[in-house]
Amino acid sequence: MFIFGYGSLINRASRQLTGQTGQAVPAVVEGLQRHWGKVDGSYAIAPLVASLGEGRCNGVLLKVEDNTLAHFDRRERGYTRVEVDPSLITHHGSLQFDAPVWVYVKANPAPPCVNQPIMQTYVDTVLAGCLSISDAFARTFIETTSGWHHPLENDRHSPKYGNLAGVEDAHLPVIDRLLSPARNHG
């Protein structure tokens, strides 16, 4: 089966903290809106969430084995795993959707706040994953994610995000440059 990862699962090093996955194929799903929001009280930060409806969302398609799905369900606690209609997926690979494609969604999440802010190391992890695909993929991620105006805590010197991985020092100035327009204009 497949998982469509639209946040930290884009980052190979971060998703390997949860379970081995096959090749990650960049893709876009229509009818999925990504934004910053709260999942539930067990999260100290406001992660990325996606809701079904309007919009489009870039991410990666991950082929996962049946026995690893439970690990991803635990990682994505508080979200609902739903099946994606393969006709809504665009990718430039040779994938054959011979098994379900799942995505983790959250309906009506509350916005980030000062007590559960967007965490810089989470942003860094996601964007380092995006940059491993291309600068254009990272820009599309930023442009198709709403809620950049919500509170953000810079925790780079004392990381609070548990799945921080795959972020190199060379990524940081690039991430800051790419984020600047979104953070300054909401």
Side-chain angles (χ1 to χ4, degrees):
M1 68 189 72
F2 297 89
I3 293 174
F4 178 69
Y6 57 82
S8 60
L9 291 177
I10 295 171
N11 183 309
R12 181 176 182 268
S14 181
R15 69 177 173 267
Q16 286 182 333
L17 296 174
T18 301
Q20 285 296 94
T21 60
Q23 180 186 10
V25 176
V28 173
V29 174
E30 297 296 330
L32 199 60
Q33 174 60 56
R34 176 180 42 222
H35 44 267
W36 294 102
K38 292 190 241 180
V39 174
D40 62 31
S42 71
Y43 284 76
I45 68 172
L48 288 163
V49 293
S51 306
L52 299 174
E54 297 296 312
R56 57 191 282 276
C57 184
N58 66 335
V60 292
L61 290 165
L62 310 168
K63 190 168 179 101
V64 296
E65 300 304 320
D66 294 358
N67 61 351
T68 60
L69 190 60
H71 299 293
F72 286 97
D73 285 350
R74 272 194 296 283
R75 177 180 174 135
E76 306 300 333
R77 71 190 184 282
Y79 293 78
T80 303
R81 180 168 39 90
V82 298
E83 198 167 345
V84 178
D85 179 345
S87 71
L88 300 174
I89 302 170
T90 306
H91 66 90
H92 300 293
S94 57
L95 289 181
Q96 300 299 313
F97 296 116
D98 51 358
V101 179
W102 300 103
V103 65
Y104 292 93
V105 297
K106 176 71 177 171
N108 305 312
C113 65
V114 293
N115 295 325
Q116 282 181 280
I118 300 167
M119 209 53 68
Q120 185 66 55
T121 52
Y122 183 99
V123 174
D124 292 345
T125 298
V126 176
L127 284 172
C130 291
L131 288 167
S132 73
I133 296 167
S134 72
D135 281 19
F137 192 89
R139 280 192 298 278
T140 298
F141 170 87
I142 292 167
E143 291 163 5
T144 59
T145 302
S146 61
W148 290 105
H149 61 285
H150 292 298
L152 180 141
E153 181 180 326
N154 187 344
D155 65 329
R156 282 179 176 162
H157 297 295
S158 182
K160 295 181 180 178
Y161 175 55
N163 289 319
L164 171 64
V167 179
E168 299 168 12
D169 287 344
H171 288 134
L172 302 181
V174 177
I175 289 168
D176 291 343
R177 179 177 47 77
L178 289 171
L179 272 182
S180 180
R183 289 293 300 164
N184 292 330
H185 302 297

